[in-house]
Amino acid sequence: MAGDKDTLLSMGFDAARVSWALKATGNSGLQPAMDHILAHEGEAVPDLGAVTEQASSRPSDAMDVDEDDTDALRAAGINVDTAEAKSIKCSLCGKVFKNTALANYHAEKSGHDQFEESTEEVKPLTEEERAQRLEELRQKMAIKRAAKAKEQEKEDKANEAIRRKTGKDLNKIKEDLKLKEAQKEAEAKKREKLEDAKARAAIKAQIEADKKARAEKAAREKALREGRPIVDAPSASPSAKPAAAAQAGVAGKDYKDTRLQIRMSTGGQYTTTLPSDSPLRAVAEFVAAQTLDVHVDTVTFTQTFPRKQFSAAEMSKSLRELGLTPSAVLIATP
């Protein structure tokens, strides 16, 4: 009916959904159409060409009166030939419907399957009843929409909680990664700084060694020019070396400790101070404690200036006896 359609449209329902409800309920009234809309609110509107009116098998069966029933009614004094059916009545609940479509809709909703014809006339709704019915429908719709909105709000809160937790986890992962990167960068800078310091120390020591070597060379050349004997020269008399060693030994007695700078032939250097009476093996044990690449029994030491490689027999001699006091630079070879 055009009036029912206009009423449903004025309530804010979609036109296609209203047409679907009216056709599906056989234009049986506002209430069935509204119930249909509420029952199928979340469904997509189908093609109206494929929508058929509700079946009328159960009420129609109730309307068919066989001959035995007619005879029984006549025997009871009821004139079935003149009685005019004005409505359809549900035998289970007593509700009266003005047409088959409404009875079918009732059967669909309630599950009742026993109907009969009735001479009781269903009066049309008054304007007041119609307004009351519309208000009831609006209230049902509002309650259903409020429940749906509450459920949607609950779902949105759950999704927001998940999103926040995921965001916190991602932020923590990012912070951890940044911290690890910062630590790696700090360690790299520290290693670089140590390597630079070692390189500068090595260069400085080499410069000092070169300076000392040049001074020694100049002293030898000057001694040659002046005709004086050279203590460490091969042509020097055998008595010169014992004299120099004795002089060094006398000077070494004045130093209780010996400071050593040990350069590794494989790279790196160490500095330590040992008692001057310590054997050279103590230096080997010190270096072996600093790195796994060195073994006490296999490491060898070489003095930079004057150039000298210490033998295995000299490992038991003291630093004082070897003339390494008060300080010396040794090159360790694993």
Side-chain angles (χ1 to χ4, degrees), residues 194-308:
L194 290 175
E195 292 297 329
D196 290 343
K198 290 179 180 179
R200 287 194 299 268
I203 293 173
K204 184 177 180 181
Q206 186 63 46
I207 291 173
E208 293 295 330
D210 293 343
K211 184 187 295 185
K212 190 174 181 180
R214 287 195 299 270
E216 182 67 20
K217 182 179 178 182
R220 288 198 299 270
E221 292 177 351
K222 183 178 180 180
L224 289 174
R225 287 195 303 269
E226 296 177 353
R228 291 184 289 105
I230 300 175
V231 176
D232 57 349
S235 58
S237 61
S239 59
K241 287 185 178 179
Q247 185 178 2
V250 172
K253 290 180 180 179
D254 298 335
Y255 300 98
K256 181 179 179 181
D257 296 323
T258 300
R259 180 174 178 80
L260 297 174
Q261 185 182 83
I262 306 164
R263 300 178 190 171
M264 302 299 300
S265 60
T266 56
Q269 64 180 11
Y270 306 100
T271 302
T272 185
T273 300
L274 297 173
S276 299
D277 294 330
S278 301
L280 185 59
R281 184 179 178 83
V283 182
E285 292 174 351
F286 166 76
V287 177
Q290 308 305 313
T291 174
L292 297 176
D293 297 334
V294 173
H295 192 275
V296 176
D297 297 329
T298 59
V299 65
T300 59
F301 294 102
T302 303
Q303 188 175 13
T304 56
F305 184 84
R307 185 73 178 178
K308 178 183 179 180

Side-chain angles (χ1 to χ4, degrees), residues 21 25 73 80 201 215 222 233 314:
T25 58
L73 292 173
V80 297
K222 183 178 180 180
E314 292 176 305

Side-chain angles (χ1 to χ4, degrees), residues 65-124:
V65 181
D66 56 24
E67 294 180 359
D68 294 336
D69 293 336
T70 303
D71 293 338
L73 292 173
R74 287 173 178 171
I78 299 175
N79 187 359
V80 297
D81 297 327
T82 59
E84 181 181 355
K86 296 183 179 180
S87 61
I88 300 174
K89 184 177 182 179
C90 177
S91 301
L92 298 178
C93 65
K95 288 185 177 181
V96 181
F97 307 96
K98 67 179 180 180
N99 55 40
T100 303
L102 291 174
N104 281 328
Y105 186 77
H106 174 72
E108 182 81 18
K109 298 286 288 185
S110 64
H112 296 172
D113 57 358
Q114 297 181 26
F115 295 85
E116 60 183 355
E117 288 184 338
S118 174
T119 57
E120 182 180 351
E121 184 177 1
V122 179
K123 296 181 180 180

Side-chain angles (χ1 to χ4, degrees), residues 126-153:
T126 64
E127 289 299 327
E128 184 178 353
E129 291 174 337
R130 186 182 182 90
Q132 182 179 359
R133 183 65 59 84
L134 288 175
E135 182 62 26
E136 292 175 355
L137 293 177
R138 289 192 181 98
Q139 290 178 0
K140 287 182 181 180
M141 192 66 181
I143 293 173
K144 189 167 184 179
R145 285 177 177 173
K148 187 175 180 181
K150 187 175 182 180
E151 188 68 24
Q152 184 65 38
E153 182 181 0

